[in-house]
Amino acid sequence: MQDWPPETQSPQPTTAQRLLAAIAVDDHAAFYAVLPDARSDINSGKGQFLRAAAEAGNMLLMKELTLAGADISYAAAEADRERSTIRKKTYWDDETDDIVTRFNSRDDEARYNRLGQTVSTLQQFQKTYTQHIAPAEALKLQERILAEIEALKLEITEMRDGKPLEKPALRPHSAKNIPPKNAQG
């Protein structure tokens, strides 16, 4: 007899959870395996994937996410917006002649600083991406497109004219293999 209700199975991690886990532990194989499945909602969670890669300081994964469609500006803006919601008090301290910022808790202060670093990393990456990575990737894309066009041209030519015949290489004949001009027999 079957037990009822059936044993509950642990749910499979979602694509987002698997991608975030791969980013967290810098597992490139897992990252590249999950990335195609995550392309459809690469900016979900307010840019969570790009933000996670920025927090980890992993520029390679940031590049791959951006090439997959992640929006750097959106992720930076969302991290900055989240940072601005953290409650703090800023005031002038006459004793130290300096501006003092106080947070409600140490956790808030740590989160505020971490988000500030994430925003800074994303902004720096955006500059690097715009100046160096995007032009190089555009050139690679153009080369791939050109190779595909050449392959299509060859395929169309073969369909229209037929496949070219294999011809043996022409070799010069030696004098002894050439028949005499006035040979009578």
Side-chain angles (χ1 to χ4, degrees):
M1 182 165 179
Q2 184 177 354
D3 291 337
W4 192 257
E7 294 181 25
T8 57
Q9 297 176 355
S10 60
Q12 294 291 332
T14 65
T15 300
Q17 291 170 334
R18 292 186 357 236
L19 189 58
L20 288 171
I23 292 169
V25 297
D26 195 24
D27 184 351
H28 292 220
F31 176 84
Y32 288 115
V34 176
L35 185 61
D37 297 335
R39 283 185 194 271
S40 63
D41 49 329
I42 199 77
N43 288 307
S44 69
K46 300 179 182 178
Q48 66 181 340
F49 304 127
L50 200 52
R51 289 172 55 181
E55 286 176 12
N58 194 325
M59 295 294 173
L60 175 63
L61 298 185
M62 291 174 69
K63 174 189 141 191
E64 294 297 331
L65 288 165
T66 303
L67 292 174
D71 189 338
I72 304 167
S73 298
Y74 173 67
E78 286 300 323
D80 195 39
R81 186 196 57 73
E82 185 178 329
R83 183 177 187 230
S84 69
T85 63
I86 297 174
R87 293 183 166 239
K88 63 185 184 309
K89 294 178 186 175
T90 303
Y91 59 91
W92 179 261
D93 187 2
D94 288 333
E95 292 178 15
T96 61
D97 283 340
D98 199 9
I99 295 176
V100 175
T101 302
R102 298 220 186 258
F103 294 89
N104 290 341
S105 69
R106 288 182 187 240
D107 290 340
D108 284 350
E109 183 176 7
R111 192 166 140 245
Y112 184 87
N113 292 334
R114 188 177 66 251
L115 285 169
Q117 183 62 40
T118 300
V119 169
S120 176
T121 301
L122 286 168
Q123 289 170 343
Q124 178 186 1
F125 176 72
Q126 185 170 24
K127 288 177 187 173
T128 302
Y129 184 83
T130 304
Q131 292 173 355
H132 304 288
I133 298 170
E137 290 299 323
L139 185 59
K140 287 179 189 176
L141 179 61
Q142 289 173 356
E143 289 172 350
R144 277 194 306 254
I145 290 171
L146 182 61
E148 288 176 10
I149 290 172
E150 291 297 326
L152 284 172
K153 275 177 52 179
L154 180 63
E155 187 177 318
I156 290 170
T157 301
E158 287 178 0
M159 288 172 66
R160 182 188 67 207
D161 301 336
K163 201 167 193 149
L165 298 174
E166 294 290 324
K167 297 179 184 177
L170 297 177
R171 289 181 257 150
H173 294 288
S174 63
K176 63 182 179 180
N177 290 341
I178 298 176
K181 289 184 179 181
N182 294 333
Q184 294 180 359

